């Protein structure tokens, strides 16, 4: 593989086309000083590489790549197709996307294209053909980077060309117009189609009249598949022209982005990579970061993966954009590595001086190199170099959390029992409780093999096909422990209710039957008989084999079970039918962990993150102290961060990090 896998990569998006040539030599020198090993070049360079339909200019890119190769810096070379140049959309206005109200979106920002447009697609593939031909053998080339953050800005186009593509997609999924009528339940509201060409994307409907939910869901599936086709088309050109060079695209694995079905996408990537940006207004964003890293590791399915972008310090696109505090960049980087990343890259190498991102931080700040940020960057590059021995090692876990983008789409469709049910909410809450206990978590797709796990968390899995419940059932009967949270198992893959009592698909597994949902009003809170409380959701639940663990004291269904436990075969299936508060969730999860025999990575306290990576007999314990006080964790070996031997325990200062190569006295 061209990608040098024996080290941890460090680097970022590098946009030399924004700068005069005389800056490039300094860029290379500074990148070298910072220990940069990988530069992502050309993500938004289409207009520079092809200034006119019949004119390509590769000279500048040759120079950049030659310079980087000479400086020993590898290149993740972009296909530059993320944003078409103005000449293309001027000549082909139909290549611009159309929103659900029927308005064309104008160029002038980025990523304004319709993925069905032949002009855009042909232009993109012609550029990729030339790039692949020209640079396949370039000594700097480590990886190809197709597009950029697919689904960002333009996730769905509603134009007539997309409508035609949608109809073809529907035939592939449902067979014919009758199949669509069945799947979409068009007996409702006089929606029955008599011919395929009557079917449209879910464009804006009259006020207060929701578009058919399955139509909306299928359109999201279609849009994800359509973009994936574009990725695959570019990837296939690159595979043909430069066999052996891995191809990636940067995902946006965040609990704030849900435009693509990444389980389907991940299968098509040679190396999975993701962007993760902190939500600076969220005090628990570092826990979300851990969760998303676990998710990305799941997408990589045992293979290597990279953090492709984050900000070295501030971003420019949140309402308020604070700088990272001293030490935060290092903690953010090591957190990704702790969860399995073999590289940490940022957006971008040199902060821009013009354009919409001029207030976004870069490795090289506007203020230059006599700055705290630059010193932290150089220290980080050195540390990642010294941590190279962990590359290729694995994170192990006995807890799995089931996550699904399609269930997210379904869960958050309109016309549901409560607008307060947010798909990522319970996943984050349960992951956080496990994180606080120091328990490592793998994220898996619904229906994935559960071999080797002791505890499986199934949060808000609203939509499930028929294959999922039997896998969980067999897992529990065989001795596994499962916890399912409310609004799970409710509909099938076509968003049709599973009748006979909620939670449809999981009723027998959980040994309960829910007659009616009883969601709470805004701000309403119910008391639980274990002293805790809950909000958002309750339900009128009957026991059908399970035992009650916690009951409601008040609210719409006083006395009814809120948490149940079902002994089934050799295992246990828990059901949490309400949105328990943080302390109650923590208590429940601690009990589930204990009963399932799950062990933490190391004994730690909340806010002190512990993760272990292993390779054969070797292991590394990562300790990331996110708190304001020093923390001590038991371990013996050598702390690679400080270079100091550790005997019995390591003490990590507030905000600090340690990576202990474990084993005998050092
Ligand atoms: C990412 C994007 C980059 C840059 C960055 C700024 O979403 O891929 O090109 O815009 O955000 O934070």
């Amino acid at each position: 593989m061209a990608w040098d896998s024996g080290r941890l990569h460090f680097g970022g998006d590098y946009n030399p086309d924004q700068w005069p040539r005389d800056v490039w030599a300094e860029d290379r020198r500074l990148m070298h000083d910072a220990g940069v090993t990988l530069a992502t070049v050309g993500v938004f360079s289409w207009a520079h590489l092809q200034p006119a339909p019949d004119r390509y200019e590769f000279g500048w890119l040759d120079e950049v790549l030659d310079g980087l190769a000479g400086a020993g810096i590898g290149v993740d070379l972009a296909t530059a197709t993320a944003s078409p140049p103005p000449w293309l959309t001027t000549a082909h206005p139909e290549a611009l996307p159309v929103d659900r109200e029927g308005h064309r979106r104008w160029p002038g920002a980025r990523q304004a294209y319709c993925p069905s447009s032949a002009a855009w697609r042909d232009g993109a593939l012609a550029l990729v053909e030339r790039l692949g031909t020209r640079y396949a053998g370039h000594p700097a080339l480590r990886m190809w980077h197709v597009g950029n953050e697919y689904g960002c800005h333009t996730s769905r186009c509603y134009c007539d060309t997309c409508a035609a593509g949608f109809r073809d997609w529907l035939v592939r999924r449902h067979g014919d117009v009758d199949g669509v009528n069945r799947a979409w339940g068009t007996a409702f509201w006089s929606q029955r189609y008599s011919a395929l060409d009557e079917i449209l994307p879910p464009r804006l409907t009259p006020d207060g009249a929701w578009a058919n939910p399955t139509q909306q869901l299928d359109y999201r599936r279609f849009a994800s598949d359509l973009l994936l086709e574009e990725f695959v088309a570019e990837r296939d050109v690159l595979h043909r022209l430069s066999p052996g060079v891995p191809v990636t695209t940067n995902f946006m694995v965040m609990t704030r982005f849900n435009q693509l079905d990444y389980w389907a996408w991940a299968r098509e990537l040679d190396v999975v990579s993701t962007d993760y940006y902190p939500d600076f207004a969220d005090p628990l964003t570092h826990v979300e970061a851990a969760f998303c890293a676990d998710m990305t590791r799941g997408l990589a399915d045992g293979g290597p993966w990279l953090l492709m972008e984050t900000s070295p310090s501030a971003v420019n696109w949140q309402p308020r954009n604070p700088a990272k505090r001293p030490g935060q960049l290092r903690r953010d980087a090591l957190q990704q590595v702790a969860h399995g990343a073999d590289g940490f890259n940022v957006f971008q190498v040199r902060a821009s001086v013009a354009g919409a991102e001029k207030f976004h931080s870069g490795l090289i700040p506007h203020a230059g190199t006599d700055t705290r940020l630059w010193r932290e960057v150089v220290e980080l590059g050195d540390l990642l170099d010294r941590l190279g021995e962990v590359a290729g090692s694995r994170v192990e876990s006995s807890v799995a959390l089931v996550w699904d983008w399609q269930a997210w789409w379904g869960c958050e469709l309109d016309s549901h029992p409560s607008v307060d049910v947010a798909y990522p909410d319970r996943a984050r809450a349960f992951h956080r409780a496990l994180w606080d206990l120091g328990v490592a978590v793998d994220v898996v797709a619904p229906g994935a093999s559960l071999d080797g796990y002791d505890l499986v968390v199934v949060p808000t899995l609203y939509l499930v096909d028929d294959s999922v419940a039997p896998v969980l059932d067999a897992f529990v009967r065989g001795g596994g422990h499962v916890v399912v949270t409310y609004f799970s198992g409710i509909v099938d893959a076509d968003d049709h209710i599973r009748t006979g009592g909620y939670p449809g698909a999981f009723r027998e597994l959980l040994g309960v039957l829910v007659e009616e949902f009883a969601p709470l009003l805004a701000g309403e809170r119910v008391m639980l008989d274990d002293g805790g409380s809950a909000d958002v959701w309750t339900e009128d639940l009957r026991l059908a084999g399970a035992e009650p663990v916690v009951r409601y004291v008040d609210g719409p269904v006083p006395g009814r079970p809120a948490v149940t436990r079902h002994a089934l075969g050799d295992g246990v299936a828990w059901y949490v039918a309400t949105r328990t508060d943080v302390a109650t969730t923590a208590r429940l999860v601690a009990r589930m962990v204990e009963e399932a025999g799950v062990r933490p990575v190391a004994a730690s306290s909340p806010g002190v993150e512990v993760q272990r990576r292993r390779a054969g007999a070797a292991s590394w314990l990562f300790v990331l102290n996110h708190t304001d006080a020093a923390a001590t964790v038991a371990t013996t070996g050598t702390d690679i961060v400080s270079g100091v031997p550790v005997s019995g325990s390591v003490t990590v200062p507030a905000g600090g990090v340690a990576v202990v190569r474990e084993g005998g006295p050092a």
Side-chain angles (χ1 to χ4, degrees):
M1 183 154 44
W3 179 32
D4 175 5
S5 49
R7 69 201 311 179
L8 295 181
H9 280 289
F10 178 47
D13 280 42
Y14 177 44
N15 295 306
D17 36 337
Q18 293 179 13
W19 295 88
R21 273 188 167 66
D22 53 6
V23 178
W24 299 356
E26 189 191 53
D27 289 343
R28 288 195 297 271
R29 182 174 58 74
L30 292 176
M31 281 194 256
H32 176 266
D33 290 353
V36 165
T37 62
L38 193 68
T40 299
V41 179
V43 172
F44 293 103
S45 298
W46 190 343
H48 268 92
L49 291 169
Q50 191 183 5
D54 48 2
R55 190 150 55 85
Y56 289 89
E57 287 184 0
F58 292 112
W60 68 270
L61 189 56
D62 293 349
E63 213 178 303
V64 168
L65 264 53
D66 292 351
L68 290 170
I73 296 167
V75 168
D76 167 37
L77 186 56
T79 58
T81 54
S83 274
W87 60 256
L88 191 147
T89 49
T90 303
H92 299 280
E94 80 287 358
L96 290 166
V98 173
D99 66 20
R100 55 196 284 273
E101 299 188 28
H103 300 128
R104 286 237 176 250
R105 290 298 177 101
W106 296 94
R110 66 172 170 183
Q111 270 148 302
Y113 63 83
C114 160
S116 301
S117 139
W120 175 79
R121 186 185 306 200
D122 293 350
L125 290 177
L127 179 61
V128 176
E129 187 80 30
R130 287 184 184 243
L131 283 165
T133 305
R134 193 171 187 96
Y135 298 111
H138 197 283
L141 183 66
R142 295 285 173 278
M143 252 195 310
W144 291 103
H145 183 108
V146 173
N148 186 64
E149 290 188 337
Y150 277 97
C152 188
H153 304 301
T154 303
S155 52
R156 296 187 285 286
C157 168
Y158 294 80
C159 75
D160 290 341
T161 314
C162 284
F166 183 41
R167 291 190 277 269
D168 292 345
W169 183 95
L170 287 169
V171 169
R172 290 198 295 279
R173 184 173 175 93
H174 300 296
D176 55 15
V177 70
D178 290 338
V180 177
N181 279 317
R182 255 194 316 276
W184 290 12
T186 57
F188 184 78
W189 279 357
S190 184
Q191 290 172 352
R192 185 174 179 75
Y193 297 100
S194 46
L196 267 177
D197 57 14
E198 297 163 4
I199 300 178
L200 296 170
R203 293 175 177 157
L204 191 67
T205 49
D207 285 349
W210 301 284
N212 181 298
T214 317
Q215 177 191 20
Q216 295 187 56
L217 183 62
D218 273 351
Y219 207 64
R220 300 196 67 140
R221 291 172 169 142
F222 159 73
S224 177
D225 288 356
L226 177 62
L227 287 170
L228 182 54
E229 265 176 44
E230 305 302 332
F231 166 81
V232 166
E234 291 194 27
R235 179 205 65 190
D236 287 351
V237 172
L238 298 168
H239 278 173
R240 168 167 52 79
L241 295 172
S242 61
V245 179
V247 179
T248 192
T249 183
N250 48 338
F251 288 171
M252 297 173 74
V253 178
M254 287 177 248
T255 64
R256 293 161 266 150
F257 178 86
N258 74 354
Q259 301 301 339
L260 304 179
D261 178 359
Y262 284 135
W263 290 124
W265 276 70
R267 290 195 286 272
E268 305 295 341
L269 270 59
D270 300 326
V271 173
V272 167
S273 68
T274 190
D275 300 350
Y276 177 83
Y277 284 91
D279 174 355
F280 285 88
D282 177 357
L284 293 175
T285 196
H286 58 290
V287 190
E288 189 210 24
F291 181 28
C292 295
D294 290 338
M295 225 184 280
T296 312
R297 190 176 71 248
L299 290 166
D301 195 22
W305 62 276
L306 296 175
L307 193 280
M308 186 58 90
E309 281 184 35
T310 191
S311 58
S313 186
V315 299
N316 65 303
W317 44 265
Q318 294 178 19
R320 285 156 287 272
N321 296 295
K324 287 190 178 175
R325 304 280 177 85
Q328 191 177 341
L329 174 63
R330 182 175 69 168
R331 216 165 51 245
D332 287 353
L334 260 55
Q335 182 182 44
Q336 297 294 324
V337 176
H339 286 262
D342 275 358
F344 177 82
N345 305 284
V346 300
F347 179 87
Q348 60 179 329
V349 168
R350 187 183 277 278
S352 302
V353 291
E357 292 183 327
K358 58 183 172 298
F359 290 114
H360 194 291
S361 58
L363 292 178
I364 309 172
H366 291 152
T369 53
D370 184 13
T371 50
R372 170 176 67 82
L373 177 55
W374 177 251
R375 284 185 282 277
E376 289 198 22
V377 165
V378 172
E379 278 167 23
L380 177 60
D382 173 60
L383 178 56
L384 291 172
D385 183 43
R386 289 188 287 118
L387 285 172
E389 64 191 60
V390 312
S393 60
R394 305 278 298 266
V395 174
E396 290 171 6
S397 166
S398 62
V399 177
L401 186 150
V402 178
W403 174 270
D404 188 40
W405 283 272
Q406 297 203 22
W408 187 350
W409 298 339
C411 174
E412 294 186 6
L413 284 166
D414 49 39
S415 57
H416 274 197
S418 171
V419 295
D420 294 327
V421 179
Y423 175 74
D425 171 70
R426 292 298 81 192
R428 282 192 68 178
F430 276 71
H431 184 276
R432 175 190 175 185
L434 291 159
W435 185 89
D436 272 338
L437 291 170
V439 170
V441 182
D442 284 347
V443 178
V444 301
S449 160
L450 300 174
D451 288 354
Y453 293 112
D454 296 320
L455 175 64
V456 174
V457 184
V458 184
T460 326
L461 200 64
Y462 164 78
L463 175 149
V464 273
D465 68 26
D466 295 343
S467 69
V468 177
V471 175
L472 290 170
D473 191 83
F475 173 71
V476 171
R477 286 178 193 279
H481 291 223
V482 162
V483 51
V484 176
T485 73
Y486 64 89
F487 215 41
S488 291
I490 305 301
V491 297
D492 65 14
D494 289 326
D495 196 40
H496 292 202
I497 298 285
R498 295 177 179 276
T499 54
Y502 312 122
F506 302 132
R507 212 167 45 225
E508 276 91 36
L509 171 76
L510 300 172
V512 301
L513 190 148
V514 174
E515 295 184 22
E516 281 190 289
F517 300 134
L520 302 178
L521 297 175
E524 193 177 354
R525 181 161 281 281
V526 294
M527 297 307 296
L528 303 172
D529 68 359
D530 69 345
S533 69
D535 62 0
V536 172
W537 191 267
T538 65
E539 41 193 36
D540 189 359
L541 180 151
R542 236 165 53 201
L543 299 170
E547 50 172 315
V549 177
V550 178
R551 290 180 185 271
Y552 302 104
V553 174
D554 54 11
V557 284
R560 287 292 194 193
V563 179
T564 60
R565 182 183 180 281
H566 187 210
L568 180 67
D570 294 332
V572 173
W574 296 82
Y575 184 49
V576 182
T578 185
R579 186 173 181 275
T580 46
D581 62 30
V582 175
T584 307
T585 310
R587 268 197 312 277
L588 288 170
V589 169
R591 180 168 163 196
M592 292 163 190
V593 161
E594 166 138 16
E595 281 195 25
V598 169
R599 298 183 55 79
V601 170
S604 71
S605 43
V608 180
E609 184 169 3
V610 282
Q611 283 285 317
R612 181 174 282 110
R613 289 183 64 159
R614 290 181 191 280
S619 66
W620 297 266
L621 179 70
F622 288 71
V623 184
L624 311 166
N625 186 353
H626 300 278
T627 74
D628 294 332
T632 299
V633 172
T635 178
T636 290
T638 301
D639 176 12
I640 303 175
V641 178
S642 64
V644 171
V646 170
S647 178
S649 68
V650 63
T651 297
V652 182
V657 294
V659 182
V660 178
R661 183 193 304 118
E662 296 178 301

